[in-house]
Amino acid sequence: MILTDELNKLNSTQREAVESIEGPVMVVAGPGTGKTQVLALRIAYILEKTDTPPEAILALTFSNAGKQSMRERLVSLIGTTGYMVQIETFHSFAETVIRTNPTYFEIADERYQLVDDLDKYLILNEILERGNYRKLKPLKAPKYYVKPLAGTIQDLKREGYFPDTFRQKIESLELKEEEYEKLMETAQAYKDYEEEMKKRFRYDYDDLINLVVREFSENDELLRTFEEKYLYLLADEYQDTNPAQYKMLFSLAKFWGE
């Protein structure tokens, strides 16, 4: 009865999105228009109208607050079954994949710890100090690029680039010599940073998604495990996904074809 009452509160377009069980569905709407409610109702509707087990539904969101909000709405609709649906942030889902499959991921080793911003800057400062970096280490301001370099590496990870794939990208571009040299030094610093992190048993927050994406692309057996586990995939605030998050989501979705 609760589900019927909530469905009756929807407008015709929202209801169409909720009741479209099969195939891709995208809801495009502005802030405060009930997108999260539509998503929660769609999960409830799928569970009511199909024999899908709740643990076969994966809903991804961006923040822990969004995750909690979706969980509370779902539980208010279907009761304790709502706790069995896998609602995760993109990063917590990636971490779950890593922690439950330690044979595939080196950072699943308990010695690995998340790096904080201060350590990140200190590592990059050491790399620039001891490395042969002419463009990234100006004579009069050798620390000038430490913080910008940290931001660049973060952006590269969110775009889904590893040091080797970033270097390949640079090689494919037509660049002026000075710009080419600076970008190649950035690629080298990124590589040195990753190697230093490994030596210190540290990992970067943005590594979580990239490592899962790479492992999904290289290990069919691992990917198949998760493709077969989830019958429905939902993403809240999909328009805000970065390329790495997009790749992870569609690694799982491609099992179902176009």
Side-chain angles (χ1 to χ4, degrees):
M1 183 61 72
I2 292 177
L3 184 57
T4 302
D5 290 344
E6 291 300 322
L7 287 172
N8 288 335
K9 294 177 185 178
L10 303 177
N11 62 39
S12 59
T13 308
Q14 290 172 325
R15 186 149 186 165
E16 181 184 6
V18 168
E19 295 179 349
S20 298
I21 292 177
E22 300 305 327
V25 176
M26 179 176 286
V27 176
V28 182
T33 52
K35 294 188 297 296
T36 303
Q37 179 71 355
V38 166
L39 204 152
L41 279 168
R42 187 165 187 258
I43 294 172
Y45 192 81
I46 289 168
L47 291 172
E48 182 178 271
K49 297 297 182 181
T50 73
D51 59 359
T52 303
E55 61 271 15
I57 297 175
L58 173 64
L60 296 171
T61 186
F62 278 86
S63 66
N64 287 322
K67 174 179 172 179
Q68 182 177 348
S69 174
M70 196 184 305
R71 177 78 69 196
E72 289 173 352
R73 292 187 193 209
L74 189 57
V75 170
S76 72
L77 292 169
I78 62 175
T80 55
T81 302
Y83 290 110
M84 299 170 67
V85 175
Q86 190 164 354
I87 302 173
E88 301 280 2
T89 66
F90 280 90
H91 285 90
S92 70
F93 172 69
E95 189 164 21
T96 296
V97 174
I98 291 168
R99 299 301 178 199
T100 57
N101 294 275
T103 56
Y104 291 97
F105 299 97
E106 192 172 356
I107 70 166
D109 187 315
E110 62 182 14
R111 290 175 294 177
Y112 275 85
Q113 296 180 3
L114 182 65
V115 71
D116 60 28
D117 285 341
L118 177 58
D119 280 342
K120 190 184 298 185
Y121 296 148
L122 291 173
I123 290 170
L124 287 170
N125 185 54
E126 288 178 23
I127 286 169
L128 293 183
E129 278 186 348
R130 67 173 181 249
N132 184 26
Y133 293 100
R134 294 192 306 116
K135 300 296 182 182
L136 296 181
K137 193 168 58 176
L139 287 175
K140 294 185 178 181
K143 300 181 187 294
Y144 180 82
Y145 282 108
V146 172
K147 190 172 181 179
L149 185 57
T152 297
I153 290 173
Q154 181 183 68
D155 290 342
L156 287 169
K157 291 188 176 191
R158 291 179 179 179
E159 290 292 316
Y161 285 106
F162 288 89
D164 55 344
T165 54
F166 180 48
R167 187 181 293 271
Q168 291 166 11
K169 180 65 176 178
I170 298 168
E171 296 285 5
S172 72
L173 301 174
E174 292 185 9
L175 301 167
K176 294 180 180 178
E177 184 176 352
E178 185 169 343
E179 187 177 7
Y180 174 81
E181 289 178 2
K182 188 173 182 179
L183 285 174
M184 289 300 282
E185 283 193 9
T186 300
Q188 184 60 47
Y190 183 9
K191 181 182 178 181
D192 292 343
Y193 171 73
E194 293 293 272
E195 290 175 352
E196 190 63 33
M197 291 275 281
K198 188 175 180 179
K199 289 178 186 175
R200 301 184 186 203
F201 294 101
R202 294 288 184 272
Y203 68 90
D204 198 313
Y205 187 63
D206 292 300
D207 287 331
L208 296 172
I209 292 175
N210 277 339
L211 289 171
V212 170
V213 169
R214 173 168 274 191
E215 211 61 37
F216 276 171
S217 69
E218 295 177 353
N219 289 286
D220 289 338
E221 184 178 354
L222 177 66
L223 175 59
R224 191 71 66 198
T225 299
F226 287 92
E227 285 178 329
E228 293 175 353
K229 180 177 181 180
Y230 301 116
L231 303 181
Y232 289 91
L233 306 168
L234 302 98
D236 197 16
E237 304 293 351
Y238 168 77
Q239 76 282 354
D240 291 329
T241 53
N242 61 40
Q245 292 165 334
Y246 171 91
K247 288 176 184 177
M248 185 172 71
L249 178 60
F250 274 81
S251 293
L252 298 169
K254 70 180 182 180
F255 178 78
W256 301 103
E258 294 298 320

